[in-house]
Amino acid sequence: MRIVSSAWQTDLALLEASGSTVEDHGTHCVVRTADNPTYHWGNFLLLPRPPAAEEVDGWLAAFDTAFPGSGHVAIGIDAPQGSEADVAVWAARGFETDLSAVMTADRLGPAPSGGPQVRVRALVSDGDWGQRVALSLACHGGGTDDSAYADFARRRAVAERRLTDVGLGDWFGVFDGDLMVAGLGIFRAGPGLARFQDVETHPAHRRRGLATALVHAASRHAYDALGSATLVIVADPSYHAYRLYERVGFRRTESQLQVSLVR
C-alpha cells in the first residue's frame, strides 16, 4: 500500500521506530502496538481511500480479524485532501470522526517577543519522564485517579523514550523551577521530515505563551540539530493551538481522517 499523506507517513515511521509493527496487506495496513493494546492510534487499520457505505461492514470485519476482542475500533484513512463527506458514512454508524489539519513549515516565523522567560530543556532522567506522564494526566486523564489512562500514558511514554534513546529526536519540557508545565516531542520521521508529538500545557499554566515559546524552540532544534527541512504538526482546526502554530510559521497543507469507536 502506497501511503501519500505526510501525516500518516510520519505517524507510521515513529510508531515503527518506537516498537510498533506495520503490516502491509496491499489493500490496507494493520498497525499493532502489542505492549499498549488500549492505544487506539497504535492499534488500527489504515485504508488507502474513504470506503463506500457498502464497504464499511467489510472493514469492520477486517478490524475484528486483526484485533479480536478489542475494546475499540480505530481506522485511519489516507486521504490528504479528504473532507467531512468522506467520513459521513462512519458518523451515521455512530463512530467518532476526526478531520485534523496537517500543518507544515519549511521556515520559522519570528521568535515571540515579549513572551515569558522560560527554561526549555530535553528530558533525560527517569524523573523527567515521570513528569511527562504526570503532565499528560493533568491535561487529558482527569488526574492520577484515572488508573486506565495512567497505565496507557506510562506505556506510551516508554515508547516515546525509545525514540530519544535511538537518537531520532528529543522530548522537551518547559520547567517552572523543577516542575514541568509544558512539553512536546520532535523527531526525525523520514527524509528531511520532522514530526511534532503531543504539544501539552498544564491547565494551571495556560495562556502564558509557554506553548508558543516551546514550539518555536523545538522547531529551531529540528532545523539546526536534526537536519530537517520540513516540519509536520497535526492540529484540530477549531482549537486555539491552530492559530498558535500559524504564528510560528505553519500552514495547513493536508487533512488527516480518523474514525473510532469505544465498545
Side-chain angles (χ1 to χ4, degrees):
M1 174 179 161
R2 178 175 174 267
I3 299 168
V4 296
S5 161
S6 62
W8 287 119
Q9 287 173 5
T10 53
D11 271 338
L12 267 56
L14 293 184
L15 282 164
E16 283 192 293
S18 64
S20 302
T21 62
V22 179
E23 304 167 6
D24 188 345
H25 290 252
T27 57
H28 65 287
C29 290
V30 177
V31 181
R32 302 180 190 277
T33 305
D35 57 1
N36 201 355
T38 64
Y39 180 18
H40 293 191
W41 297 109
N43 299 277
F44 65 97
L45 301 188
L46 180 60
L47 312 186
R49 59 174 177 80
E54 62 270 19
E55 297 175 307
V56 169
D57 284 335
W59 287 119
L60 292 177
F63 184 91
D64 287 337
T65 298
F67 302 100
S70 174
H72 75 274
V73 178
I75 296 178
I77 302 170
D78 187 26
Q81 304 308 317
S83 68
E84 292 287 354
D86 293 315
V87 292
V89 297
W90 298 92
R93 299 280 293 265
F95 279 72
E96 180 179 345
T97 61
D98 182 36
L99 184 71
S100 295
V102 182
M103 308 177 75
T104 60
D106 55 14
R107 62 178 62 86
L108 280 178
S113 59
Q117 298 300 308
V118 297
R119 182 165 65 101
V120 177
R121 65 169 176 83
L123 308 191
V124 294
S125 68
D126 292 347
D128 288 344
W129 283 96
Q131 290 212 57
R132 186 271 180 275
V133 174
L135 176 62
S136 189
L137 280 168
C139 292
H140 306 293
T144 55
D145 292 336
D146 189 337
S147 59
Y149 188 86
D151 180 64
F152 157 76
R154 283 191 293 268
R155 291 172 182 264
R156 184 179 59 177
V158 169
E160 292 163 344
R161 193 171 184 177
R162 290 190 193 115
L163 298 176
T164 69
D165 290 343
V166 299
L168 287 180
D170 287 288
W171 206 277
F172 288 96
V174 174
F175 287 82
D176 186 353
D178 293 328
L179 179 66
M180 181 177 167
V181 296
L184 58 75
I186 182 71
F187 299 101
R188 287 193 299 271
L193 293 175
R195 173 70 185 266
F196 278 88
Q197 301 278 276
D198 293 340
V199 182
E200 296 174 333
T201 303
H202 192 287
H205 294 267
R206 290 175 181 167
R207 303 189 183 282
R208 294 173 52 194
L210 301 181
T212 301
L214 181 57
V215 170
H216 197 280
S219 297
R220 177 49 56 201
H221 174 80
Y223 289 132
D224 295 345
L226 302 183
S228 303
T230 301
L231 313 183
V232 181
I233 198 166
V234 177
D236 179 347
S238 66
Y239 193 55
H240 67 85
Y242 182 86
R243 264 64 65 187
L244 179 161
Y245 303 145
E246 285 187 317
R247 290 195 295 274
V248 174
F250 287 83
R251 296 294 178 264
R252 184 171 187 166
T253 53
E254 298 176 358
S255 295
Q256 185 176 39
L257 277 60
Q258 299 171 310
V259 300
S260 62
L261 181 71
V262 177
R263 292 167 161 165

